[in-house]
Amino acid sequence: MDLFKKMAEAVIEGDEERTVSLAKEALSKGVNPTEAIEKGFAEGMKEIGRLFETLEIYLPQVIVSADAMTAGVEVFRQYLLGQEGELPKTTVLLGTIEGDVHDIGKNIVKIMLESNGFKVYDLGRDVPVFNFIEKVKELSPDIVGVSALMTTTMVYMPKLIEALKEEGLRGKVKVMVGGAPVLPKWAKEIGADGYGESAMEAVRVAKSLVGLQGEGKGD
Ligand code: HCB
């Protein structure tokens, strides 16, 4: 069985020991971490999503799989943090929007941005619009990256953009949005500057938003 398939299965089975050992195996074989996360672990999580939707599994199983994926991704994070970034430290303020605890995707975006030379301030998950605004004032990031995994929470994204306008900050910071229910058309409608379908796309979008397209690692 190929490595990516094994990684997906380990997530589906919620086997944390195995996700960790497979991530190490991928690194020892020189597999690109981004590719391993996207084609291996993330595929497993997609299948978990499908099984959850069709009620073939329940929330506790989703939690076990999410923990297994997080443990495997952490191996890559530690590895990538050891690599030197080559870009100037463009800053990204990143968080999952209020009411939403889904942070696996956001954490992958963080890893990819960091490994491509960005400095990331991670606000975590379930971050109120107010906190985003306060941190934009405090840290003056180049980009605010927002994640939402639920149709009920993505509605806070336009609220955040409105709040940035009201505070006179909109012209000073770019807004990038993403997460499974977020679509490019919607991102455009709410006035976001960029949309990332995947973590790698988020990196490309972030680079282009600050005029760094084509530079750095990962291209
Ligand atoms: Co959760 N959940 N969940 N869940 N969950 C979803 C999201 C549903 C779609 C499942 C379903 O019903 N079909 C659904 C949302 C429905 C809706 O839209 N309204 C749902 C629900 C309903 C819930 C609860 C309400 C369930 C309950 O309690 N009854 C509850 C939410 C509580 C809350 O938030 N207030 C809940 C809880 C959980 C956990 C805790 C068990 C777990 C999350 C663990 C964690 O994140 N630490 C979980 C999970 C794992 C999922 C599914 C199965 C997978 C999500 C995931 O991690 N995907 C998901 C089903 C699905 O999405 N199909 C399900 C994998 C990552 C890698 O993909 O899309 O997040 P991603 O990120 C990508 C991409 O979008 C992009 O890059 C990433 C990497 O490539 N990206 C960005 C992401 N953010 C970006 C930001 C940018 O700026 C740019 C790019």
Side-chain angles (χ1 to χ4, degrees):
M1 199 193 302
D2 88 7
L3 184 60
F4 294 152
K5 204 163 171 209
K6 284 186 199 164
M7 292 172 84
E9 284 198 2
V11 169
I12 295 166
E13 284 161 16
D15 189 338
E16 197 168 315
E17 258 177 50
R18 196 147 167 71
T19 53
V20 168
S21 72
L22 287 168
K24 288 180 181 164
E25 186 182 329
L27 288 175
S28 72
K29 287 182 170 161
V31 177
N32 179 297
T34 309
E35 209 181 342
I37 292 173
E38 300 272 353
K39 293 187 182 165
F41 292 150
E43 285 302 312
M45 191 48 75
K46 259 189 219 162
E47 177 61 7
I48 286 295
R50 192 192 65 75
L51 293 170
F52 186 53
E53 265 165 49
T54 52
L55 304 178
E56 286 167 75
I57 59 167
Y58 297 98
L59 207 54
Q61 287 153 286
V62 180
I63 294 172
V64 172
S65 286
D67 287 348
M69 172 150 178
T70 301
V73 168
E74 179 61 19
V75 173
F76 290 118
R77 193 177 82 88
Q78 291 300 332
Y79 168 80
L80 290 167
L81 281 181
Q83 310 276 298
E84 276 291 302
E86 290 164 4
L87 297 178
K89 290 285 181 211
T90 303
T91 52
V92 181
L93 184 67
L94 193 63
T96 301
I97 201 76
E98 78 182 79
D100 202 323
V101 302
H102 296 90
D103 64 358
I104 295 176
K106 184 265 298 169
N107 292 340
I108 296 174
V109 171
K110 176 184 174 184
I111 293 168
M112 295 304 160
L113 286 170
E114 284 178 342
S115 64
N116 277 272
F118 288 86
K119 167 137 189 66
V120 178
Y121 297 105
D122 184 3
L123 297 181
R125 56 193 188 175
D126 189 9
V127 182
V129 166
F130 177 80
N131 290 17
F132 272 103
I133 298 295
E134 289 305 297
K135 285 290 172 186
V136 169
K137 286 181 188 165
E138 182 190 328
L139 303 167
S140 302
D142 300 286
I143 299 169
V144 177
V146 196
S147 185
L149 261 289
M150 299 197 288
T151 48
T152 47
T153 55
M154 60 193 272
V155 294
Y156 288 104
M157 287 175 165
K159 288 191 190 347
L160 171 59
I161 292 175
E162 278 313 306
L164 285 170
K165 280 184 195 159
E166 280 163 22
E167 297 287 334
L169 298 165
R170 186 66 187 96
K172 296 178 185 159
V173 67
K174 303 285 184 191
V175 178
M176 174 173 74
V177 294
V182 179
L183 297 172
K185 186 171 176 280
W186 189 78
K188 211 171 174 185
E189 273 167 25
I190 65 167
D193 301 294
Y195 157 79
E197 193 193 354
S198 66
M200 252 347 273
E201 201 190 318
V203 170
R204 280 193 289 275
V205 168
K207 283 183 184 174
S208 79
L209 288 178
V210 293
L212 291 170
Q213 190 125 21
E215 293 177 42
K217 289 186 279 181
D219 286 314

